[in-house]
Amino acid sequence: MPVSRPESSDSRIIAHVDMDCFYVQVEQRKNPDLRGKPTAVVQYNSWKGGGLIAVGYEARKDGVKRSMRGDEAKEVCPEIHLVQVPVARGKADLTIYRDAGSEVVSILARKGRCERASIDEVYLDLTDAAETMLKETPLESLESIDDEVLKSHILGLSSDGKDDRESVREWLQRKDADHRDKLLACGAIIVAELRLQVLRETEFTCSAGVAHNKMLAKLASGMNKPAQQTIVTSASVKELLETLPVKKMKQLGGKLGSSLQTDLGVNTVGDLLQFSEEKLQDFYGVNTGTWLWNTARGINGDEVQGRLLPKSHGSGKTFPGVRALKTVVAVEKWLKELCEELNERLQSDLVKNKRIAHTLTLYVNAYKSTDTESHKKFPSKSCPLRYGAGKIMEDAVNLFQAALREYLGPYIGNQCGGWGVTNLSVSASKIVAIPSGTSSITKYFHSRDQLNDSSEPLGEKFVLEDDHVSPSRTESHPASHQIECGEEEIPITHDISSSDQCETACKDEASGDIAEEAFKLSSGTESCSTLKQKEQQSRLHGKETKMMHPNDGIRSYNQKRKATKEKGTSSILRFLHSNSTSSPKQDNPTPLQETKSLSLGTQEPLNIESQSSSQNVQTTNAWSYKVDEIDQSVIEELPLEIQQEFRNWLRPQKRPNIVKRGSSIAHYFSPTKN
DNA sequence: ACGGATGTGACA
DNA sequence: TTGTCACAT
């Protein structure tokens, strides 16, 4: 459900940039012969010509539509060129489009905060850039304005349609213009420039919307395509929304939009104006009600998230109809393909962006033929993610088997009751950047555990080499984990420091030792998954029963504990170490956005992120201690091997973690002992 | 049981 | 928090 966020009082300049029929453009760049010809991109050519997932504008003129079949498209437009999505491992592989999207993002991120909204869409917060421009170069004094700017569509400008370059110029340079309009004008100039850069550097065209918030910018970017831009002035909003069908509004394209029509007889966004906020809240809940009320007025406080990289990676495939997978063996075969693709993408993310994913999730759609009634859904399952195709595969298979048992009910394996899997997908989430800076190591041994079976302490060299790197612009992220060991489990909240994505994203350079090492380690497919390994990762991530590996359920709780203890010292030390955070100031540098919102002088309370972030600072501090404050004698009581490892870690770190009570070491350092 | 593959965000 | 659902391209 949509949620309403408070809108900052100051006016922002937000742009939404949308690539025109992106996949088609990617294919046309690859094969220029296709340029200017009716073209569509299709996947799985075998059945009815495959399904269209992108249609070029020449083909659209002939009535070709997305989600037509290739055959239908041919009927409507016999000359159409159908290009197939690349296939790898028996499934569609969108890599080339993702990479092309990254090219675009790296250009668009040059001005202002940038949010990758999808593979081919981006939001930009150009407020600062626009304000700066307005200060430095008064619009009236502008000698020449790029044609791309003059081609803008300005909502509300009367003569939008005819020889309007002059009127656009006039609007842009209007001396008596509203300050907000002037900022919009600057935004339009900036966006036009960015779009031209995109075109020069990638050969891709895109369209854009410029407005005072995300919702309106998004709406505008789609109004004049392809290769054009649209500006939403405040004055135009009312009229714009008045007649806009609710379904056109983002978030209202589904059930909520339908029920608006059905329940309230609301057909256009303007129709919503009649309803009080309370009334809308009564119908749809507080959050959605408020959101609807605001939306009707063109109010939307959603901020542009500074995020250039995806938050998850997934690989999936459908098996419709008779192609449904009916045996575990068939499922395993496909899981292997999916996991290999996922692993490749994780690898690439690690090398390019120095990020590590921490959770593996399996999603399945299935049917039960012997299922007269209960349309039970196949449950999705997660577990800690270990790097390496073999390990991911193994874990995914285990997740599948666990979920299958649940799905089929307690009467498990009796007679292969007809089930069929119609969709399989694996996905990796909880991706965090490996901190660049002193604290790399903390993050790092997380990866070490997942990448590597040996207990060779790889961390050391990173400490040494990273130490002189300034930990600039780090941001604190809260996280909490639990681990079992000893009699009970104690959840600990702690900080993860990670490098700012805005800095590292899209840099293809120097992978660095961490990434290289990781690559070596995970390229191997050795997947001797011993009990101990499972325990180890269970502990690392570990959420008792929920986050453990499916297999673990078979063993008793005591057995698990035992395995955990035996596994070893180095892991325990890691946890210990990880709890040794350095000073709060260093660990929790003020997030950039917080700084910004404060400097804007907002009278409103700190935004939610800021609040929770400062809360986490407190929580973290309560549970943290400094390594160098630990009594030396305490360390000396530890086994020699542990002492050594411990001393290796003697540097201020912060990292995600778990503390175990009952473990001898945890006893020593348990902050408050509860 | 063909709108496929993928991704984000909210809610319980 | 995990798992589910909705929504989007």
Side-chain angles (χ1 to χ4, degrees):
Chain A
M1 298 283 114
V3 155
S4 176
R5 305 240 184 299
E7 169 126 49
S8 74
S9 47
D10 299 328
S11 90
R12 301 173 293 158
I13 300 302
I14 307 296
H16 180 259
V17 179
D18 195 334
M19 304 308 294
D20 306 319
C21 55
F22 190 44
Y23 292 8
V24 168
Q25 286 204 77
V26 172
E27 296 297 343
Q28 287 178 329
R29 182 176 72 169
K30 197 166 65 175
N31 175 7
D33 288 349
L34 296 174
R35 284 195 189 281
K37 298 177 181 166
T39 308
V41 174
V42 69
Q43 57 190 4
Y44 305 129
N45 221 332
S46 50
W47 197 70
K48 296 193 176 181
L52 304 196
I53 58 175
V55 181
Y57 284 86
E58 295 84 355
R60 289 188 201 193
K61 284 176 202 151
D62 294 7
V64 179
K65 299 227 257 305
R66 201 179 351 165
S67 99
M68 266 182 169
R69 300 284 160 194
D71 294 346
E72 305 172 57
K74 280 280 188 191
E75 288 171 19
V76 189
C77 173
E79 338 79 77
I80 195 171
H81 294 74
L82 297 177
V83 184
Q84 276 187 255
V85 171
V87 171
R89 303 182 190 85
K91 65 179 290 299
D93 182 353
L94 304 184
T95 303
I96 61 170
Y97 311 116
R98 274 188 210 100
D99 291 348
S102 297
E103 290 180 48
V104 174
V105 167
S106 71
I107 294 165
L108 293 178
R110 287 172 188 166
K111 296 270 186 185
R113 195 172 352 150
C114 175
E115 174 183 336
R116 188 201 109 126
S118 80
I119 198 168
D120 70 340
E121 285 175 277
V122 150
Y123 287 98
L124 302 173
D125 188 327
L126 301 173
T127 308
D128 293 348
E131 280 172 353
T132 303
M133 173 184 287
L134 193 54
K135 261 183 249 172
E136 293 176 356
T137 54
L139 287 164
E140 311 90 61
S141 71
L142 236 48
E143 288 283 313
S144 67
I145 297 179
D146 195 287
D147 201 49
E148 199 55 47
V149 182
L150 297 178
K151 284 188 329 201
S152 296
H153 300 259
I154 299 166
L155 297 188
L157 240 199
S158 48
S159 66
D160 177 33
K162 294 185 73 151
D163 180 48
D164 37 30
R165 292 199 189 185
E166 251 331 297
S167 48
V168 169
R169 181 197 303 280
E170 187 189 309
W171 182 87
L172 289 168
Q173 306 194 298
R174 226 176 7 152
K175 193 137 195 194
D176 60 334
D178 190 293
H179 182 248
R180 283 160 56 91
D181 278 355
K182 288 183 175 174
L183 286 177
L184 278 180
C186 292
I189 292 171
I190 293 164
V191 167
E193 175 60 32
L194 284 171
R195 289 176 47 237
L196 283 173
Q197 285 185 32
V198 168
L199 182 57
R200 277 197 294 270
E201 299 176 35
T202 69
E203 301 178 26
F204 299 142
T205 68
C206 55
S207 300
V210 182
H212 290 303
N213 63 48
K214 286 173 88 172
M215 175 190 91
L216 294 172
K218 163 81 179 169
L219 205 51
S221 71
M223 297 184 67
N224 296 99
K225 280 180 144 276
Q228 297 164 76
Q229 60 183 51
T230 306
I231 302 168
V232 185
T233 61
S234 299
S236 72
V237 172
K238 188 177 178 199
E239 195 183 305
L240 168 66
L241 299 182
E242 205 152 64
T243 58
L244 188 77
V246 286
K247 292 265 175 198
K248 301 272 188 184
M249 185 74 64
K250 186 166 156 136
Q251 297 292 303
L252 294 182
K255 297 180 180 181
L256 179 56
S258 301
S259 82
L260 236 33
Q261 299 187 252
T262 309
D263 301 344
L264 301 181
V266 165
N267 293 304
T268 72
V269 177
D271 292 345
L272 269 176
L273 287 170
Q274 325 168 122
F275 300 90
S276 71
E277 185 170 357
E278 292 71 30
K279 177 95 174 173
L280 293 172
Q281 288 178 341
D282 287 346
F283 266 80
Y284 299 105
V286 180
N287 285 334
T288 303
T290 300
W291 181 85
L292 285 168
W293 191 89
N294 284 325
T295 297
R297 290 155 182 80
I299 297 171
N300 177 81
D302 292 356
E303 290 194 29
V304 175
Q305 307 296 315
R307 184 174 51 75
L308 309 183
L309 301 173
K311 296 174 130 181
S312 68
H313 298 291
S315 174
K317 178 167 174 58
T318 58
F319 306 94
V322 295
R323 294 203 253 172
L325 310 180
K326 299 198 174 70
T327 68
V328 172
V329 169
V331 169
E332 286 175 349
K333 178 229 173 197
W334 280 105
L335 278 180
K336 178 163 179 289
E337 309 294 334
L338 299 177
C339 291
E340 277 171 4
E341 184 192 327
L342 182 60
N343 184 58
E344 210 161 82
R345 286 166 57 191
L346 288 172
Q347 248 351 276
S348 150
D349 198 346
L350 178 53
V351 171
K352 284 191 204 147
N353 309 317
K354 306 212 179 93
R355 302 197 305 169
I356 294 179
H358 287 250
T359 300
L360 175 70
T361 306
L362 173 78
Y363 300 94
V364 178
N365 287 341
Y367 63 81
K368 260 185 294 191
S369 46
T370 68
D371 182 0
T372 56
E373 199 26 60
S374 65
H375 279 45
K376 192 156 63 163
K377 285 213 57 174
F378 205 100
S380 60
K381 293 285 170 198
S382 304
C383 75
L385 190 151
R386 301 181 296 159
Y387 274 63
K391 291 173 185 174
I392 295 175
M393 156 81 184
E394 180 190 335
D395 294 342
V397 167
N398 286 335
L399 290 177
F400 176 79
Q401 290 178 334
L404 181 61
R405 286 194 290 271
E406 217 174 284
Y407 178 68
L408 295 178
Y411 335 92
I412 329 161
N414 72 11
Q415 247 340 29
C416 39
W419 52 268
V421 166
T422 56
N423 184 83
L424 260 189
S425 102
V426 290
S427 130
S429 59
K430 303 214 171 82
I431 307 181
V432 300
I434 300 173
S436 59
T438 306
S439 53
S440 329
I441 197 181
T442 68
K443 252 7 279 256
Y444 182 68
F445 44 97
H446 228 83
S447 65
R448 182 195 150 207
D449 266 286
Q450 291 159 358
L451 292 166
N452 184 6
D453 294 332
S454 90
S455 52
E456 180 198 355
L458 295 169
E460 211 167 2
K461 68 181 181 188
F462 298 116
V463 169
L464 294 177
E465 83 173 19
D466 284 347
D467 235 338
H468 62 281
V469 177
S470 89
S472 66
R473 300 205 342 146
T474 55
E475 220 179 272
S476 69
H477 297 288
S480 82
H481 298 254
Q482 257 188 356
I483 197 168
E484 56 93 10
C485 176
E487 314 313 314
E488 299 153 276
E489 306 168 3
I490 308 174
I492 295 289
T493 306
H494 53 267
D495 268 61
I496 303 171
S497 154
S498 74
S499 59
D500 184 356
Q501 285 189 354
C502 296
E503 274 184 59
T504 53
C506 301
K507 273 197 249 168
D508 281 17
E509 37 149 297
S511 42
D513 282 338
I514 293 179
E516 280 173 23
E517 194 65 35
F519 182 77
K520 284 185 221 153
L521 291 169
S522 62
S523 324
T525 336
E526 94 300 326
S527 67
C528 67
S529 101
T530 65
L531 261 177
K532 287 181 183 175
Q533 282 179 338
K534 291 189 177 170
E535 292 306 336
Q536 188 175 23
Q537 61 177 320
S538 259
R539 275 181 290 111
L540 267 176
H541 261 265
K543 219 346 198 141
E544 210 239 315
T545 52
K546 294 287 171 70
M547 272 299 270
M548 71 189 187
H549 278 262
N551 278 352
D552 293 353
I554 300 164
R555 302 192 311 281
S556 79
Y557 199 75
N558 277 342
Q559 277 177 307
K560 289 199 304 188
R561 282 192 42 223
K562 186 160 184 189
T564 300
K565 275 190 181 171
E566 284 164 359
K567 168 62 189 187
T569 58
S570 70
S571 297
I572 294 176
L573 268 186
R574 280 198 293 282
F575 295 129
L576 194 174
H577 164 74
S578 60
N579 244 18
S580 59
T581 48
S582 51
S583 80
K585 273 282 164 59
Q586 284 171 325
D587 277 1
N588 305 290
T590 308
L592 292 176
Q593 290 182 7
E594 182 178 344
T595 304
K596 179 155 192 291
S597 73
L598 289 174
S599 70
L600 282 176
T602 317
Q603 305 121 310
E604 306 202 319
L606 289 179
N607 63 41
I608 292 165
E609 285 92 340
S610 300
Q611 285 182 343
S612 69
S613 143
S614 28
Q615 277 190 346
N616 282 312
V617 169
Q618 293 184 339
T619 314
T620 302
N621 289 342
W623 285 92
S624 67
Y625 51 83
K626 291 183 179 175
V627 165
D628 47 23
E629 283 174 6
I630 296 169
D631 193 316
Q632 195 62 21
S633 67
V634 171
I635 296 172
E636 283 164 3
E637 290 197 26
L638 304 172
L640 226 123
E641 183 197 358
I642 300 185
Q643 288 186 36
Q644 273 186 346
E645 256 197 81
F646 182 74
R647 293 196 169 98
N648 282 342
W649 299 118
L650 273 184
R651 283 166 186 94
Q653 306 294 341
K654 50 202 162 165
R655 68 164 308 243
N657 203 5
I658 298 128
V659 150
K660 329 151 164 200
R661 197 150 59 147
S663 137
S664 54
I665 295 176
H667 267 320
Y668 288 123
F669 303 112
S670 189
T672 64
K673 121 56 292 237
N674 295 355

